[in-house]
Amino acid sequence: QVRLVESGGGSVQAGGSLRLSCTASSFTYSSAFMGWFRQAPGKEREGVAVIAHENGYTYYAEAVKGRFTITLDNAKKTVELHMNNLKPEDTAIYYCAKSKGGGIQYPLREIDFGTWGQGTQVTVSS
């Protein structure tokens, strides 16, 4: 059973930057995707970004495209989300997730991901 542990959340003013990290207890697959989701108060969880283990393919939600970057270090079993030019609407709990295997669909769907971290809070003030 793979465990995912996030870190790096916090509070920042609009325009600032944060880096989230997610470390997996094991990487025993080569075809899965690692992704980041977020859930703002009163809203549904939404997919933010994903990266493919096999070839490094990345996908970003329109709301974060050009501001967020997802990276993967297979040797360290770590996926990171680099967030720049943060906006108040980026305030949410951010979750790291691993896909179930096989393909995923876009926009990102929770149902395609079977392992989740505990979440880390990101707060952006105006």
Side-chain angles (χ1 to χ4, degrees):
Q1 183 79 15
V2 176
R3 289 181 60 246
L4 304 176
V5 179
E6 300 105 334
S7 62
S11 297
V12 66
Q13 289 190 328
S17 300
L18 284 173
R19 183 181 66 185
L20 305 182
S21 292
C22 172
T23 300
S25 58
S26 65
F27 273 3
T28 59
Y29 42 77
S30 60
S31 61
F33 294 79
M34 295 295 298
W36 287 93
F37 286 73
R38 68 185 182 185
Q39 187 166 20
K43 295 187 177 181
E44 294 185 354
R45 194 176 300 187
E46 62 175 355
V48 174
V50 73
I51 187 167
H53 270 274
E54 186 173 21
N55 57 15
Y57 169 81
T58 58
Y59 166 89
Y60 299 92
E62 281 298 321
V64 305
K65 196 174 292 184
R67 301 187 296 121
F68 290 12
T69 302
I70 187 170
T71 60
L72 177 65
D73 186 329
N74 279 308
K76 296 182 180 179
K77 303 181 180 62
T78 298
V79 59
E80 295 188 334
L81 186 67
H82 302 258
M83 306 184 294
N84 296 316
N85 191 21
L86 283 160
K87 303 176 180 180
E89 51 263 43
D90 294 318
T91 295
I93 299 174
Y94 283 70
Y95 298 89
C96 174
K98 169 187 167 300
S99 66
K100 294 178 179 178
I104 62 174
Q105 293 191 22
Y106 305 98
L108 299 176
R109 307 183 307 170
E110 287 186 71
I111 196 172
D112 291 331
F113 293 78
T115 304
W116 296 84
Q118 82 285 358
T120 185
Q121 177 71 47
V122 171
T123 302
V124 184
S125 58
S126 57

